[in-house]
Amino acid sequence: MKGTMEIVGTSDEQIVERAQAGDAEAFGEIVLRWERRIFALAYGILGREEDARDATQETFTAAFRNLSGFRGDAKVSSWLHRIAVNQCITRQRRAKVRGETSLEAEQEDGGAQFASPSEARPDEQTEGRERSEAVRRAVNSLPPELRSVVVMKEFEDLTFQEIASALGVPLSTVKSRLYTALKQLRMRLEKHGAASAHV
Amino acid sequence: MNKIQETNPCGRGEQLVGYLYGEATRDERAGFEQHLSQCAACRDEMAAFTQVRQSVGEWRAELLTRAPGVVAADVIPAAAPTTTLDAAPARRTAWDALREFFALSPAWLRFGSAAAAAVVCALAALALFNVEVRSENGSLSVRTGVGRAAPALNDAAQPRNGGDGGAAQLSQLIAERDAAVRQLEDARAQLEDSRAANIEAVYNEVAPTETEPATQPAPAAGASRPRRAAGANAPRKPSARRSPRGDDDLPRLLDLISGAND
């Protein structure tokens, strides 16, 4: 992208200022910097590659449309993550209303292609990848409200208060959900033997 | 939510996650560390949760390395000018559109269009190469070659008797024209003779009236004669005159009368 070299050493906030001034290419740099993290966050919450891809695109589209709403009070990363989380939550609610297939059923069939190690040869499937696949299945098997909390905390290191604000729940609810999520993940991973491999 | 609610054996679940993620206050941290030193269950849970966090972190790292990127142009249309501006699509001409139309058309439409175009071109060529422009009586007339070419084509379609068929036809037309001219001349001569006879008859009728009494009855066959005779003394109106050429050739009645008197 033209002008990328000029803004390599520029902070996200400065780039957003340029985008607010009408430099659309500057926002392209923001997309390049954060697209993978936003996708990972969306995939962690939604559990489906296609949904995560759509949510990522919608996140940046919404951010671009609301550039004027960013006043610099927070970091660009927090601003983007908040938008992404809202996109994911909205998608989860829509899916719930439509009664779509549960993630558990989908993941048992081998769900996300990009995250599965099926592309690699068996001899290349390392123990770490097997463990990651087990974690993916375990996280995706969590109820959406637990999955959202644990992903927002583990993936983006949002504070309890930030998560509570994003989800619109009390701070204590965030803590209790996080404790419950960790406990269920422990049970699932120990059942699979993934967590015990670290011990 | 209550169905999935897990509880810490010591009822310190929220304190545990606060300590685990480093969000506990100093007092909370100090109080929980004191509890950990005395509670094996909480120590076990702390160790297990740490392992879970490590596993989730590894999964996240793998996700980041394999996550597909988002096409920035899909998010920001204006952010992809380098490709759209440099590789601007060439403007399509009407000829290009026509070619595309025929390329996508069925074969029958292509051949039909070609035949129609050939007919139109042939007619246009005939009109251009055989055009005739005439200026008659101050008016301009244009005659295309199509109308004249049609009979020619018909003639060409008829069987010919040798190579001089056209010359023989032309000679026949000339002969017919000459015959018509001769018939016209004969008719004109007869008309002149009949005019002269009429004038002589009038003269013969008028001449006695000058010598004989006016009471003598006029001949029955000349019902119009008295009017013409009566009008002979009246001045002639130009509009009443016949064609100037015919009157000049004929002897005037007054001259005849005066000649008779002499």
Side-chain angles (χ1 to χ4, degrees):
Chain A
M1 181 172 291
K2 194 172 72 176
T4 301
M5 295 302 293
E6 303 171 9
I7 53 181
V8 166
T10 312
S11 69
D12 292 339
E13 288 70 26
Q14 290 173 322
I15 295 173
V16 168
E17 283 182 12
R18 288 174 55 175
Q20 287 174 329
D23 187 356
E25 292 186 34
F27 192 81
E29 173 64 16
I30 292 291
V31 174
L32 289 175
R33 287 186 181 187
W34 290 98
E35 59 182 353
R36 291 185 181 276
R37 288 188 63 174
I38 296 297
F39 175 86
L41 172 67
Y43 181 78
I45 295 174
L46 298 172
R48 293 179 183 173
E49 182 181 357
E50 185 180 350
D51 290 344
R53 193 189 301 268
D54 291 344
T56 304
Q57 187 155 326
E58 289 168 3
T59 296
F60 286 109
T61 302
F64 183 73
R65 287 176 180 169
N66 296 298
L67 268 176
S68 58
F70 180 76
R71 303 185 184 285
D73 300 334
K75 288 185 176 180
V76 171
S77 58
S78 301
W79 176 57
L80 288 174
H81 288 132
R82 189 163 56 248
I83 296 173
V85 167
N86 289 334
Q87 293 285 344
C88 294
I89 291 171
T90 302
R91 280 184 164 270
Q92 280 182 334
R93 288 173 180 162
R94 287 178 188 162
K96 192 174 183 180
V97 169
R98 290 195 297 263
E100 289 182 353
T101 310
S102 66
L103 278 173
E104 292 86 340
E106 182 175 286
Q107 297 313 314
E108 288 303 319
D109 296 334
Q113 296 177 354
F114 89 98
S116 71
S118 57
E119 299 171 359
R121 296 199 308 266
D123 57 341
E124 293 177 341
Q125 295 177 1
T126 62
E127 183 182 348
R129 284 202 170 183
E130 289 179 357
R131 192 161 54 248
S132 294
E133 175 65 12
V135 173
R136 182 183 69 81
R137 287 175 179 269
V139 171
N140 287 343
S141 66
L142 291 174
E145 55 269 31
L146 298 186
R147 191 167 63 241
S148 298
V149 172
V150 75
V151 169
M152 290 166 76
K153 189 64 183 172
E154 293 294 340
F155 278 37
E156 301 305 327
D157 197 23
L158 300 181
T159 65
F160 295 149
Q161 187 59 54
E162 289 172 335
I163 297 171
S165 299
L167 299 178
V169 296
L171 189 65
S172 60
T173 301
V174 173
K175 291 179 181 178
S176 63
R177 285 186 183 180
L178 189 55
Y179 176 83
T180 303
L182 291 172
K183 193 146 188 171
Q184 291 194 5
L185 286 175
R186 176 194 178 184
M187 291 166 57
R188 286 174 168 80
L189 291 175
E190 283 181 348
K191 185 178 178 181
H192 187 269
S196 61
H198 288 285
V199 178
Chain B
M1 188 65 200
N2 292 332
K3 291 187 295 184
I4 60 173
Q5 183 72 42
E6 300 285 352
T7 55
N8 178 265
C10 305
R12 293 176 181 265
E14 293 185 18
Q15 292 178 31
L16 190 149
V17 295
Y19 182 82
L20 182 66
Y21 287 100
E23 292 197 34
T25 63
R26 177 178 295 183
D27 293 341
E28 289 173 344
R29 188 168 58 250
F32 190 72
E33 284 177 349
Q34 187 177 359
H35 172 74
L36 277 180
S37 63
Q38 301 169 355
C39 180
C42 286
R43 283 199 302 274
D44 177 68
E45 206 162 47
M46 270 297 291
F49 284 3
T50 301
Q51 294 301 325
V52 169
R53 290 192 64 194
Q54 185 175 344
S55 298
V56 172
E58 290 175 356
W59 175 51
R60 173 181 178 269
E62 187 179 333
L63 274 181
L64 288 175
T65 57
R66 304 176 67 182
V70 176
V71 179
D74 293 341
V75 179
I76 327 154
T82 51
T83 53
T84 55
L85 288 180
D86 295 342
R91 291 187 64 184
R92 293 185 58 191
T93 62
W95 175 247
D96 294 335
L98 196 63
R99 288 179 60 186
E100 183 178 353
F101 171 76
F102 279 107
L104 298 174
S105 299
W108 64 266
L109 181 59
R110 275 182 268 176
F111 288 119
S113 301
V119 171
V120 169
C121 288
L123 291 174
L126 280 174
L128 289 175
F129 289 111
N130 213 6
V131 68
E132 180 179 296
V133 180
R134 278 186 179 178
S135 177
E136 290 179 344
N137 299 329
S139 63
L140 189 68
S141 64
V142 178
R143 187 181 176 194
T144 64
V146 178
R148 285 184 289 149
L153 290 172
N154 292 336
D155 292 345
Q158 293 174 356
R160 290 185 175 183
N161 299 326
D164 56 347
Q169 190 175 13
L170 183 62
S171 300
Q172 183 180 356
L173 288 174
I174 292 172
E176 289 176 356
R177 188 199 64 180
D178 293 343
V181 169
R182 281 195 297 273
Q183 286 181 355
L184 187 61
E185 288 176 350
D186 291 344
R188 178 179 288 179
Q190 288 179 3
L191 182 62
E192 293 296 332
D193 292 344
S194 109
R195 273 186 176 178
N198 286 339
I199 291 169
E200 188 175 355
V202 170
Y203 172 76
N204 291 334
E205 288 178 1
V206 171
T209 58
E210 299 291 334
T211 55
E212 293 176 2
T215 55
Q216 189 175 355
S224 62
R225 288 173 187 166
R227 282 184 304 192
R228 291 190 67 176
N233 294 329
R236 273 191 165 187
K237 295 180 182 178
S239 60
R241 295 180 65 182
R242 296 184 182 179
S243 66
R245 184 179 176 184
D247 288 349
D248 291 340
D249 295 339
L250 295 176
R252 297 187 181 281
L253 183 60
L254 290 176
D255 295 338
L256 291 173
I257 293 171
S258 59
N261 290 337
D262 293 341

